Amino acid sequence: MSLDDDARAELATLEGSHRLRSQRVVDGPQGPTVTLDGVEVVNLSSNDYLSLAGDPRLARAAAAALEETGTGAGASRLIAGTQRAHVLLEQAVADWMRAGGVRLFNTGYAANVGVLSTLARAGDLVISDELNHASIIDGCRLARADVVVTPHRDLEAIEAALAAGGRRQRKLVVTESLFSMDGDIADLHALSTLCRRFDAAFVVDEAHAIGACGPEGRGLCADAAVVPDVLIGTFGKALGTFGAFAATTISIAELLWNRARPFVFSTALPSSIPAATLAALEIVRGTEGLERRRILASHARRFRELVPAAGGARDSAIAPIGVGDDREVMRMTARLLEDGLFVQGIRPPTVPEGTARLRVSMAAGHTVQHIDKAAYCVNNATRQS
């Protein structure tokens, strides 16, 4: 069988199980409403939590950098690709996150893979929540460490795994702070206490919390007064741009410079991206950012008050609606599109078998009317399923 024949067979299997993905095209900028496949809809599927992705201030900053430095960095950061904007953004993020050192990565996926495969090695113990993102799972695999996957947010299981780990050279606990598909929150204070007790490193992926939660948008670790060994954040969600960072100590940041393969072997971000991110960071840290976070949390609370089936933490912008069946969740997505709402159905392997769900993702740019309409239509779709 040829590769093409094999691909066709696998695609047919996916279609038969209602798991075949197809692309949807957005015209124009991201925002609370978008033109999706030629139709204007309320966008409840984006991670643009503060509604900054379409902000003209970010676009102007990016355009100015493009005019000054061109479209590409031309090389990896280690060779000839480090531009002034990269350095300025790393310094700004270090100040924002109150970290000794910061290293930029091209994506959040690359950051998690790079951090974990650099800091954990064969013979080390890594303890990972079962609902951690695929990038964390792959980073653990590439590290070749011994990995214990614990039930979701199960502190007793994590404690038992740490206790059973013996006197290994290194133990490491890794978790998301705000879980991307469930909208719930790790007990960061308790996890940090366990790590100190068992002399384990603590790595936290704050991808969905950075910008959207905590003082100055510094995430849920800052909100809990927890300082992990490495905090990973992204710019492509609440900050509305692209790329990611690892906030840590000076020494660990230098080690990542020298050993993190996704960083070492990738062409650097074009300077337009750090320039736009610096503009976003100024907004996020200021009074405007505070107001956008207040509105976002208010939307989240209102939606949950109106939709009893909505899961996730009370103030979380991510509100999953459990459906279970893959075919039914996509029927509900289609039904909501007819109502002018884009709420993407999420199916395995993104979520565990039997847990397909609608993932409602709110943004500061939504109006109260958007939230109320979404609640009404989601409740109707749930009743009809």
PDB file of all heavy atoms in Angstrom, residues 3 26 43 67 236 304 334 384:
ATOM      1  N   LEU A   3       1.881   5.348   0.416  1.00  0.00           N
ATOM      2  CA  LEU A   3       1.608   6.323   1.467  1.00  0.00           C
ATOM      3  C   LEU A   3       0.276   7.015   1.224  1.00  0.00           C
ATOM      4  O   LEU A   3      -0.497   7.267   2.153  1.00  0.00           O
ATOM      5  CB  LEU A   3       2.731   7.357   1.535  1.00  0.00           C
ATOM      6  CG  LEU A   3       4.031   6.919   2.216  1.00  0.00           C
ATOM      7  CD1 LEU A   3       5.067   8.029   2.094  1.00  0.00           C
ATOM      8  CD2 LEU A   3       3.786   6.595   3.682  1.00  0.00           C
ATOM      9  N   VAL A  26     -11.227  32.326   8.076  1.00  0.00           N
ATOM     10  CA  VAL A  26     -11.613  33.621   8.639  1.00  0.00           C
ATOM     11  C   VAL A  26     -11.057  34.719   7.744  1.00  0.00           C
ATOM     12  O   VAL A  26      -9.856  34.733   7.437  1.00  0.00           O
ATOM     13  CB  VAL A  26     -11.067  33.781  10.075  1.00  0.00           C
ATOM     14  CG1 VAL A  26     -11.324  35.188  10.596  1.00  0.00           C
ATOM     15  CG2 VAL A  26     -11.692  32.745  10.997  1.00  0.00           C
ATOM     16  N   ASN A  43     -17.720  35.086  17.488  1.00  0.00           N
ATOM     17  CA  ASN A  43     -16.611  34.140  17.608  1.00  0.00           C
ATOM     18  C   ASN A  43     -16.433  33.721  19.060  1.00  0.00           C
ATOM     19  O   ASN A  43     -15.939  34.484  19.893  1.00  0.00           O
ATOM     20  CB  ASN A  43     -15.323  34.790  17.087  1.00  0.00           C
ATOM     21  CG  ASN A  43     -14.146  33.841  17.093  1.00  0.00           C
ATOM     22  OD1 ASN A  43     -14.307  32.643  17.296  1.00  0.00           O
ATOM     23  ND2 ASN A  43     -12.965  34.373  16.860  1.00  0.00           N
ATOM     24  N   GLU A  67       9.141  47.801   8.563  1.00  0.00           N
ATOM     25  CA  GLU A  67       9.763  48.840   7.751  1.00  0.00           C
ATOM     26  C   GLU A  67      11.239  49.000   8.109  1.00  0.00           C
ATOM     27  O   GLU A  67      12.091  49.223   7.244  1.00  0.00           O
ATOM     28  CB  GLU A  67       9.022  50.161   7.971  1.00  0.00           C
ATOM     29  CG  GLU A  67       9.491  51.309   7.106  1.00  0.00           C
ATOM     30  CD  GLU A  67       9.138  51.138   5.635  1.00  0.00           C
ATOM     31  OE1 GLU A  67       8.162  50.423   5.330  1.00  0.00           O
ATOM     32  OE2 GLU A  67       9.858  51.714   4.793  1.00  0.00           O
ATOM     33  N   GLY A 236       0.350  34.371  21.963  1.00  0.00           N
ATOM     34  CA  GLY A 236      -0.633  34.191  20.912  1.00  0.00           C
ATOM     35  C   GLY A 236      -2.054  34.059  21.400  1.00  0.00           C
ATOM     36  O   GLY A 236      -2.961  33.833  20.595  1.00  0.00           O
ATOM     37  N   ARG A 304     -21.902  31.428  33.032  1.00  0.00           N
ATOM     38  CA  ARG A 304     -22.126  30.257  33.907  1.00  0.00           C
ATOM     39  C   ARG A 304     -23.414  30.387  34.706  1.00  0.00           C
ATOM     40  O   ARG A 304     -24.059  29.383  35.020  1.00  0.00           O
ATOM     41  CB  ARG A 304     -20.918  30.054  34.821  1.00  0.00           C
ATOM     42  CG  ARG A 304     -19.716  29.493  34.080  1.00  0.00           C
ATOM     43  CD  ARG A 304     -18.538  29.223  34.983  1.00  0.00           C
ATOM     44  NE  ARG A 304     -17.509  28.526  34.232  1.00  0.00           N
ATOM     45  CZ  ARG A 304     -16.591  29.139  33.466  1.00  0.00           C
ATOM     46  NH1 ARG A 304     -16.595  30.474  33.385  1.00  0.00           N
ATOM     47  NH2 ARG A 304     -15.713  28.437  32.784  1.00  0.00           N
ATOM     48  N   ALA A 334     -22.837  22.845  14.256  1.00  0.00           N
ATOM     49  CA  ALA A 334     -23.540  23.265  13.043  1.00  0.00           C
ATOM     50  C   ALA A 334     -24.822  24.033  13.389  1.00  0.00           C
ATOM     51  O   ALA A 334     -25.153  25.046  12.750  1.00  0.00           O
ATOM     52  CB  ALA A 334     -23.864  22.044  12.188  1.00  0.00           C
ATOM     53  N   GLN A 384     -31.890  20.142  22.891  1.00  0.00           N
ATOM     54  CA  GLN A 384     -32.281  19.425  21.676  1.00  0.00           C
ATOM     55  C   GLN A 384     -31.391  18.224  21.374  1.00  0.00           C
ATOM     56  O   GLN A 384     -31.723  17.421  20.505  1.00  0.00           O
ATOM     57  CB  GLN A 384     -32.269  20.378  20.475  1.00  0.00           C
ATOM     58  CG  GLN A 384     -33.308  21.467  20.558  1.00  0.00           C
ATOM     59  CD  GLN A 384     -33.116  22.535  19.492  1.00  0.00           C
ATOM     60  OE1 GLN A 384     -32.473  22.295  18.479  1.00  0.00           O
ATOM     61  NE2 GLN A 384     -33.672  23.709  19.739  1.00  0.00           N
TER      62      GLN A 384
END
